[in-house]
Amino acid sequence: MGASQARTEHKYQDLADKTGLKKKRALTSICFMIMDFLLPHCSRENLDSIPALANNPIRKQIVEAFFDKRNQHQDEVGSFEEIGFEQFLMVMSHFRPPTLKTTEEEKEAMRKEKLRFLFNMHDTDNDGTITLAEYRKVVEELLSKSGAIGQEAAKAIADAAMLEVASTNVPHMAPDDFYEGITFEHFEQILKGLEMESRMHIRFLDVDTTTMHCGKSFS
Amino acid sequence: MPPRRTGSHRPAGFAQSLPERGLLLLTVLLLLQGSALPLGASSSPDVGLSQTDSDHKVTAVGHNSTKKSFPVLSLDYSHIQTPFEISLWVLLASLMKLGFHLIPRLSGIVPESCLLIVVGLLVGGLIKLAGEQVPPVLDSRLFFLCLLPPIILDAGYFLPIRPFMENLGTILMFAVVGTLWNAFFIGGLLYAVCQIQPDNPSDLHKLELLPCLLFGSIISAVDPVAVLAVFEEIHINELLHILVFGESLLNDAVTVVLYHLFEEYSGEGTVTVMDGFLGVISFLVVALGGVLVGAIYGILAAFTSRFTSHTRVIEPLFVFVYSYMAYLSAEMFHLSGIMALIACGAVMRPYVEANISHKSHTTIKYFLKMWSSVSETLIFIFLGVATVDGPHAWNWTFVTVTVILCLVARVIGVVGLTYVINKFRIVKLTTKDQFIIAYGGLRGAIAFSLGFLLNKDHFAMREMFLTAIITVIFFTVFVQGMTIKPLVELLAVKKKQEAKRSINEEIHTQFLDHLLTGIEDICGHYGHHHWKDKLNRFNKKYVKKCLIAGERSKEPQLIAFYHKMEMKQAIELVESGGGVKLPSAVPSTISMQNIQPKKPPAPKPAERALPQLPKGREEEIRKILRSNLQRTRQRLRSYNRHTLVADPYEDGFGDFLLKKQKMIELEKKIKDMNNYLSVPAAPPDSPTMCRARLASDPQAYSVKPVSESVPTIQVDLASPQSPDSVNLMDEFRQASQQQEEDQGLMMKPPSGVSAPNKPGEVDGAREQQKLMRCLSDPGPSADEDEDEPFLP
């Protein structure tokens, strides 16, 4: 009994470390223990049924991102059918902000991690590149709430964007060469100006954990 | 104009070439003339008067006076005196600006504002030397009603909303709490300093607490004009720029309230707690009231611009007049006029820009820049002149203590506030940032004008105040203004990003917004993004429909951005002669064919006879055709006669290009169909691809331009000829009639056009000429092509 208890405690402390939520480790791991108890499993339908998400044009991609094994930092591919609290938290950990104490290398690592998350969201077939078709799909989804005007322009926009990526990264291509797709390095290059590490974050300060729900309600 | 022989003592590099010397000389002469004329003015009215008198005498009496000859040429200065002098000042200001940029090294070392103040000093000195009365140029009414609004409107209209809103909390903290701290710290300590040395009574002892606090509140506010003037030259990064600049704009409310509060009660000598409480309420009223007034006028302006499609010429006027009225209305109620102007500009901009024509947009931009530039120049010159004018009462203690206290208060305020603010910020402010924010707290003409407004009867020490204010202004503008640039270099503070905003960044910014909103929704957390998303949806659903004319109200932001980019590229394309490849930031040889997936090689055309296309293939081709035509029709539908403007090229240029490209793609499709009957359906060409091809081959204008009665739905398929195609078309027409197809769609049988490459050349050339003509006024040049000064 004692051994398994110690193991469980270790598990939550590890989890706290892994997700980088290092502050108040003990308190955090207790919270995680409670959460794990309350949210054993969550499936796609649970996430889909969140009413507030209905208006979001990229709802499908967001939900899919939670079930994507690539976001679990474990070098696996494919997707889960159901996720537990640990997986949920791993995905959420992509959204933590840098602090004053974060060093430059850590910031760089953080930025790579967040860009990787975005990249995985676009690269649905996991071949390491975002092809033109995949990029078109992204833009179409973004404009999906805008009706017919959106659809016809989506293709043009995606093409122009792809052209831009290619021009910036591989400026001189022979007319017969074919630009396969956006690799991760190119992706990093074009989004250099956006400062991901500070933009892509959620303020966890006010998150009320008792109302976190996966379609089920707790109180 | 006799050229002077210059001595050899002239410092090298100063006005070396003859034109520059000539220019300076011209200016000096103009000034002397301007100041000398008022001297002569005293005599001319008499002359004029006596002339009319004598004329009357002649007509009335009619005898004993010789009839005066008809005055062929007479001088009547008083008739035009005021406008003439105003124009002279404006001319002087503009010539000075010109002159500075001709002198190469000077403009690099010394900021323009310093040079202008020096010029003002010189002019004031000259006028005084000429024995004339220096005109009270920095009259407060003139300043607040004429000189200040253009600068603030320019700032407000082009305010980058996104960074401003993201940092609003920080900006408000600095503006409100920082200014309050400054005012009380400076006022209180000054009073304390004035009270010391009780055994050696001096003038200072007469100074009471309330006037000191009033003085503190006048001197503590960071001045937007000075900040703009200096910061524009140092190209600092966007965050710092918006923090200091935003603070200088928003502290106006605090200054207004404090000023009125202390001014009212200085006579009575005490301020009770009740008054303090009322002051707080007053602050809220002033600030929020100002914003409300501005927002109302902004919405009115946006609504008016919805109907201006027939009177494009006066569109800019609406923007200017509504904004100015917002300012005046706010000032009428003693609300914060500056905040009203900012709110007006920021609220109306997205809607007005969606409604007005490209040329009006350019006009607004250039007029605002012109007026604000002239205003700023005049303000600094007048500051110099007013300094010479006096009256001054120099008091070493008071002035030096003021200067020191200003600096100290600013530093302590910024450091303390940043410590608190950093607890709530994600992107923390580093020490370097804090230094720049503290150092960038410049004082300017607003402080001087407020001091000038003080009533001499209530404030015996008014002159001393004015002297101290001027000294502080000079110190901040000269010392801090000159040294901030080298300090920025020394500290290696991050500079402004020069990269153009790309379509990829735009796509991902939007993507991120939706992603973060989604994550927040999953967490059940109603944060920042959630409310922003709600506001956007409200805006899209209700507000845009009211305020934006026609189809553009439904245009999503991404598409609007894309169209803007296309328009810019199209203009660049035509400007560069049309024969060159699409100019882009990175010269590259990539075109669309590099990224389109390769088509499988076309099998040799076995037969040219009318084939029995396999059902599936036929279906595909039909679907593509239909979808292309449908899309074209949808595009065309947005132009009916009612929304069409007199000059379609000017307004619908981007869409016009798209239409043209759709034509080309249709034509190509038909050609493909003819030649490669068994080829699987090629992915339809996007306009970008066609444009890329267009760019490299200007002769590819092989399409007949859509006729001028643009509107509805005649799709003229200019296409290569062959009997096969006719039959094919017939077959398809029959097939498509079975569908629930567009009744309005007319497919005229392809007219007799010989070869794909020849046909429309003549038309193409004519068209190209038309394009060149209408775009001969390209408007914004390449580097001026910024809507948002902070996000080039």
Side-chain angles (χ1 to χ4, degrees), chain B residues 743-761:
Chain B
Q743 286 81 353
L745 185 62
M746 291 191 316
M747 283 164 56
K748 261 170 57 180
S751 45
V753 180
S754 49
N757 289 325
K758 281 308 169 181
E761 229 181 59

mmCIF file of all heavy atoms in Angstrom, chain B residues 743-761:
data_model
loop_
_atom_site.group_PDB
_atom_site.id
_atom_site.type_symbol
_atom_site.label_atom_id
_atom_site.label_comp_id
_atom_site.label_asym_id
_atom_site.label_seq_id
_atom_site.Cartn_x
_atom_site.Cartn_y
_atom_site.Cartn_z
ATOM 1 N N GLN B 743 -30.491 30.443 -63.890
ATOM 2 C CA GLN B 743 -31.248 30.826 -65.075
ATOM 3 C C GLN B 743 -30.637 32.051 -65.715
ATOM 4 O O GLN B 743 -30.655 32.219 -66.906
ATOM 5 C CB GLN B 743 -32.709 31.152 -64.718
ATOM 6 C CG GLN B 743 -33.539 29.951 -64.408
ATOM 7 C CD GLN B 743 -33.313 29.500 -62.988
ATOM 8 O OE1 GLN B 743 -32.442 30.020 -62.313
ATOM 9 N NE2 GLN B 743 -34.109 28.539 -62.550
ATOM 10 N N GLY B 744 -30.127 32.913 -64.891
ATOM 11 C CA GLY B 744 -29.632 34.159 -65.460
ATOM 12 C C GLY B 744 -28.341 33.997 -66.229
ATOM 13 O O GLY B 744 -27.889 34.892 -66.896
ATOM 14 N N LEU B 745 -27.732 32.835 -66.103
ATOM 15 C CA LEU B 745 -26.420 32.679 -66.702
ATOM 16 C C LEU B 745 -26.545 32.504 -68.198
ATOM 17 O O LEU B 745 -27.204 31.602 -68.681
ATOM 18 C CB LEU B 745 -25.731 31.455 -66.095
ATOM 19 C CG LEU B 745 -24.298 31.255 -66.554
ATOM 20 C CD1 LEU B 745 -23.464 32.422 -66.125
ATOM 21 C CD2 LEU B 745 -23.756 29.994 -65.964
ATOM 22 N N MET B 746 -25.940 33.425 -68.930
ATOM 23 C CA MET B 746 -25.971 33.275 -70.380
ATOM 24 C C MET B 746 -24.603 32.882 -70.868
ATOM 25 O O MET B 746 -23.623 33.546 -70.567
ATOM 26 C CB MET B 746 -26.349 34.613 -71.021
ATOM 27 C CG MET B 746 -27.784 34.998 -70.755
ATOM 28 S SD MET B 746 -28.287 36.387 -71.753
ATOM 29 C CE MET B 746 -26.930 37.471 -71.639
ATOM 30 N N MET B 747 -24.557 31.850 -71.587
ATOM 31 C CA MET B 747 -23.276 31.476 -72.167
ATOM 32 C C MET B 747 -23.340 31.805 -73.636
ATOM 33 O O MET B 747 -23.921 31.078 -74.413
ATOM 34 C CB MET B 747 -23.011 29.987 -71.947
ATOM 35 C CG MET B 747 -22.559 29.703 -70.525
ATOM 36 S SD MET B 747 -22.681 27.982 -70.086
ATOM 37 C CE MET B 747 -21.705 27.215 -71.335
ATOM 38 N N LYS B 748 -22.780 32.904 -73.988
ATOM 39 C CA LYS B 748 -22.746 33.246 -75.401
ATOM 40 C C LYS B 748 -21.799 32.273 -76.079
ATOM 41 O O LYS B 748 -20.721 32.022 -75.575
ATOM 42 C CB LYS B 748 -22.241 34.674 -75.573
ATOM 43 C CG LYS B 748 -23.375 35.651 -75.769
ATOM 44 C CD LYS B 748 -22.927 37.071 -75.707
ATOM 45 C CE LYS B 748 -21.835 37.373 -76.718
ATOM 46 N NZ LYS B 748 -21.444 38.796 -76.607
ATOM 47 N N PRO B 749 -22.179 31.801 -77.207
ATOM 48 C CA PRO B 749 -21.263 30.893 -77.915
ATOM 49 C C PRO B 749 -19.973 31.643 -78.193
ATOM 50 O O PRO B 749 -19.986 32.832 -78.474
ATOM 51 C CB PRO B 749 -22.005 30.542 -79.212
ATOM 52 C CG PRO B 749 -23.120 31.514 -79.292
ATOM 53 C CD PRO B 749 -23.425 31.994 -77.938
ATOM 54 N N PRO B 750 -18.900 30.956 -78.094
ATOM 55 C CA PRO B 750 -17.606 31.611 -78.226
ATOM 56 C C PRO B 750 -17.502 32.325 -79.562
ATOM 57 O O PRO B 750 -17.833 31.782 -80.591
ATOM 58 C CB PRO B 750 -16.604 30.470 -78.149
ATOM 59 C CG PRO B 750 -17.354 29.350 -77.540
ATOM 60 C CD PRO B 750 -18.791 29.546 -77.855
ATOM 61 N N SER B 751 -17.084 33.527 -79.523
ATOM 62 C CA SER B 751 -17.016 34.320 -80.745
ATOM 63 C C SER B 751 -15.781 33.917 -81.543
ATOM 64 O O SER B 751 -14.874 33.270 -81.036
ATOM 65 C CB SER B 751 -16.974 35.801 -80.414
ATOM 66 O OG SER B 751 -16.072 36.003 -79.374
ATOM 67 N N GLY B 752 -15.771 34.356 -82.762
ATOM 68 C CA GLY B 752 -14.697 33.897 -83.644
ATOM 69 C C GLY B 752 -13.361 34.527 -83.304
ATOM 70 O O GLY B 752 -12.989 35.576 -83.806
ATOM 71 N N VAL B 753 -12.688 33.877 -82.486
ATOM 72 C CA VAL B 753 -11.358 34.397 -82.144
ATOM 73 C C VAL B 753 -10.343 33.379 -82.618
ATOM 74 O O VAL B 753 -10.512 32.188 -82.429
ATOM 75 C CB VAL B 753 -11.240 34.583 -80.621
ATOM 76 C CG1 VAL B 753 -9.894 35.108 -80.255
ATOM 77 C CG2 VAL B 753 -12.341 35.518 -80.173
ATOM 78 N N SER B 754 -9.296 33.862 -83.199
ATOM 79 C CA SER B 754 -8.424 32.939 -83.922
ATOM 80 C C SER B 754 -7.567 32.080 -83.026
ATOM 81 O O SER B 754 -7.801 30.894 -82.877
ATOM 82 C CB SER B 754 -7.551 33.700 -84.905
ATOM 83 O OG SER B 754 -6.955 34.784 -84.219
ATOM 84 N N ALA B 755 -6.587 32.665 -82.430
ATOM 85 C CA ALA B 755 -5.653 31.840 -81.653
ATOM 86 C C ALA B 755 -5.604 32.372 -80.230
ATOM 87 O O ALA B 755 -5.865 33.532 -80.001
ATOM 88 C CB ALA B 755 -4.267 31.894 -82.301
ATOM 89 N N PRO B 756 -5.266 31.523 -79.311
ATOM 90 C CA PRO B 756 -5.332 31.963 -77.925
ATOM 91 C C PRO B 756 -4.432 33.148 -77.618
ATOM 92 O O PRO B 756 -4.753 33.958 -76.767
ATOM 93 C CB PRO B 756 -4.894 30.732 -77.120
ATOM 94 C CG PRO B 756 -4.294 29.805 -78.110
ATOM 95 C CD PRO B 756 -4.891 30.120 -79.425
ATOM 96 N N ASN B 757 -3.340 33.253 -78.330
ATOM 97 C CA ASN B 757 -2.421 34.281 -77.882
ATOM 98 C C ASN B 757 -2.622 35.616 -78.548
ATOM 99 O O ASN B 757 -2.225 36.630 -78.022
ATOM 100 C CB ASN B 757 -0.968 33.831 -78.128
ATOM 101 C CG ASN B 757 -0.614 32.730 -77.167
ATOM 102 O OD1 ASN B 757 -1.066 32.746 -76.048
ATOM 103 N ND2 ASN B 757 0.139 31.765 -77.643
ATOM 104 N N LYS B 758 -3.243 35.591 -79.699
ATOM 105 C CA LYS B 758 -3.375 36.848 -80.422
ATOM 106 C C LYS B 758 -4.539 37.732 -79.972
ATOM 107 O O LYS B 758 -4.383 38.929 -79.857
ATOM 108 C CB LYS B 758 -3.499 36.580 -81.930
ATOM 109 C CG LYS B 758 -2.182 36.276 -82.598
ATOM 110 C CD LYS B 758 -1.182 37.330 -82.260
ATOM 111 C CE LYS B 758 0.209 36.904 -82.703
ATOM 112 N NZ LYS B 758 1.196 37.905 -82.365
ATOM 113 N N PRO B 759 -5.658 37.127 -79.708
ATOM 114 C CA PRO B 759 -6.917 37.881 -79.778
ATOM 115 C C PRO B 759 -6.926 39.240 -79.082
ATOM 116 O O PRO B 759 -6.969 40.242 -79.720
ATOM 117 C CB PRO B 759 -7.923 36.949 -79.085
ATOM 118 C CG PRO B 759 -7.109 35.977 -78.339
ATOM 119 C CD PRO B 759 -5.857 35.832 -79.125
ATOM 120 N N GLY B 760 -6.880 39.202 -77.848
ATOM 121 C CA GLY B 760 -7.207 40.449 -77.162
ATOM 122 C C GLY B 760 -6.046 41.403 -77.072
ATOM 123 O O GLY B 760 -6.045 42.304 -76.255
ATOM 124 N N GLU B 761 -5.038 41.213 -77.911
ATOM 125 C CA GLU B 761 -3.858 42.042 -77.710
ATOM 126 C C GLU B 761 -4.176 43.510 -77.814
ATOM 127 O O GLU B 761 -3.763 44.318 -77.016
ATOM 128 C CB GLU B 761 -2.797 41.679 -78.729
ATOM 129 C CG GLU B 761 -1.441 41.458 -78.073
ATOM 130 C CD GLU B 761 -0.390 41.129 -79.090
ATOM 131 O OE1 GLU B 761 -0.198 41.976 -79.970
ATOM 132 O OE2 GLU B 761 0.181 40.048 -78.994
#
